[in-house]
Amino acid sequence: MKEQIQINGNTLIHLGFKPKKWFKEAIAYINDNQLSNDEMLAYLEQFKSDPEIELHENPIAFAINIEAENAVEEKNVNDVINTMNTLMKTPTLVNGAIMPDACPTGTNGVIPVGGVAVAKNAIHPGMHSADICCSVMLTDFGNANPQDVLDAAHSITHFGPGGRDRNSQFRFPMDLLAEIEANKFLNDQRCISAARSHLGTQGDGNHFLFVGTSKKTGNTMMVTHHGSRGFGANLYKKGMKVAEQFRRELSPQTMKQNAWIPFNTEEGQNYWEALQIVRKWTKKNHECIHDATLEKLGIEKENRYWNEHNFVFKDGDLFYHAKGATPLDKKFMPDITGPRLIPLNMSEPVLIVEGKTTETNLGFAPHGAGRNVSRTQHRKSKNGTIQDIFNEETKGIDARFFSNEIDITELPSAYKNAETVRNQMEQFGLGEVIDEVMPYGCIMAGDVGKNAPWKRRKKNKK
């Protein structure tokens, strides 16, 4: 009797299969059952993958809602358009847009800030980035004194890395905890610990707490800007790993940063659910700071509304990835309670806007003023002492840094010209300003790394 030839991994590779986890089980089954050539091919049919999904030959067309007004802006706009052209070759994408505050971030092909990318039946974690559900909330404090509101909020809020210690944490909603524990992406100790300790915190960078007065009513209003902190960042990391697994299988030509999770998979359903839970947490994060400030002052709120500007919005089988773009269309926000908020910089008003969806805005507006140059370039462009620069740029407002260290890359000159952004909003039909919160003062994290505890510890060891 002729001895059965044993197959190995090379046999399967020669037949056109890529090395996968199932190789070991399949090889053992074929050898143990001494399958003939035809029988082996019939058995292997179940492991055949669909053909790889190729990039679009040409970029999908996208709306350009931005114009350059000087040489610096021209370079920025060209860079944004170039990165969008690369991005829009991603196989899942069917539409896109860029806003007046657009600026590139990362390598060519990564969605820019101020970008909208519309995918069919796919969620791209890299297109919402680590700061999931970065958002703004406004509370109307009525005729309260702006300084009292700013002082009270300063005593309550928390900026910088890490979270609150156990003695200063806000009470965590048990219904939200139950949702977290029921989700496969979120139910681990790291996520839950971050969700607890980061509740009522604002992070660093461009996040802020702003107090001003309504141009229309004169009422004092507080606006906070921050995202989902470490809780969302943990989900993003997990999402990127799962998306990469799908990318290798479905579309190896796609950039790693643009990998996606198919919505019609178990992973896609769970990830979408996780995003909604992170959204609920982030809204609660804002509410904790606002409610505690109201309570400290013994004031009842007169109004409140919020919107995210860094998220994924679903409409049927289309997923709108807004990387720094404010949703105008009510269909994107199930809990809409009022108009939208567009902050510019600490010395400019927060715009309160409404608007309609058009073919070119796709239902979105800018999320702020954006940048023309990087933080490093801005820092190098400034002359004089940090204190002098701060004094000059914050005249007339009560500007504070939580870390007591000035961060000049968050001063007004670091951002695009606010008037230009407003003009282009009108020019391109990106929302109508119905009120403005005129600046009184604001709090930001500041240069959290300058005298950071971990740096002081290193110095003490020397």
Side-chain angles (χ1 to χ4, degrees), residues 4 7 59-60 82 103 117 135 147 151 196 201 224 271 294 346 355 357-358 381 383 437 448 456:
Q4 174 77 19
I7 72 157
I60 297 295
N82 287 337
C103 54
S135 46
Q147 183 175 341
D151 289 343
R196 286 184 179 280
T201 70
T224 49
Y271 193 74
L294 287 164
M346 64 171 65
T357 299
T358 68
S381 72
N383 295 314
V437 185
V448 296
R456 291 199 295 270

Side-chain angles (χ1 to χ4, degrees), residues 153-171:
H154 198 161
S155 71
I156 287 161
T157 191
H158 178 293
F159 283 90
R164 295 176 178 270
D165 60 42
R166 286 185 177 275
N167 296 323
S168 62
Q169 287 178 13
F170 287 92
R171 185 174 182 179

Side-chain angles (χ1 to χ4, degrees), residues 221-350:
M221 295 175 166
M222 185 173 93
V223 179
T224 49
H225 171 222
H226 56 260
S228 52
R229 308 284 283 112
F231 182 45
N234 281 316
L235 174 61
Y236 164 75
K237 289 177 184 176
K238 292 180 182 178
M240 286 299 291
K241 286 182 180 179
V242 172
E244 172 62 11
Q245 293 169 1
F246 279 109
R247 186 193 71 85
R248 291 178 182 175
E249 177 75 23
L250 300 175
S251 184
Q253 295 179 37
T254 293
M255 286 178 56
K256 287 187 177 182
Q257 191 63 25
N258 294 334
W260 72 86
I261 304 174
F263 179 64
N264 58 358
T265 61
E266 181 181 356
E267 294 90 340
Q269 299 288 318
N270 287 333
Y271 193 74
W272 176 250
E273 180 186 85
L275 287 173
Q276 308 319 303
I277 295 169
V278 167
R279 183 181 187 273
K280 288 180 185 178
W281 182 94
T282 308
K283 186 177 183 182
K284 186 66 179 178
N285 191 23
H286 285 280
E287 289 173 345
C288 284
I289 298 167
H290 287 242
D291 289 347
T293 305
L294 287 164
E295 184 178 352
K296 183 159 188 172
L297 294 171
I299 294 174
E300 293 288 331
K301 70 176 184 291
E302 293 203 6
N303 206 347
R304 173 176 291 169
Y305 35 87
W306 85 301
N307 62 264
E308 60 267 65
H309 50 226
N310 203 71
F311 201 58
V312 186
F313 304 90
K314 185 176 182 297
D315 181 26
D317 61 357
L318 298 180
F319 291 79
Y320 291 72
H321 299 76
K323 180 70 172 74
T326 300
L328 291 174
D329 199 315
K330 292 181 179 180
K331 68 185 178 185
F332 294 135
M333 297 187 67
D335 53 357
I336 189 67
T337 58
R340 317 303 186 271
L341 304 166
I342 301 178
L344 297 168
N345 65 58
M346 64 171 65
S347 68
E348 293 284 341
V350 172

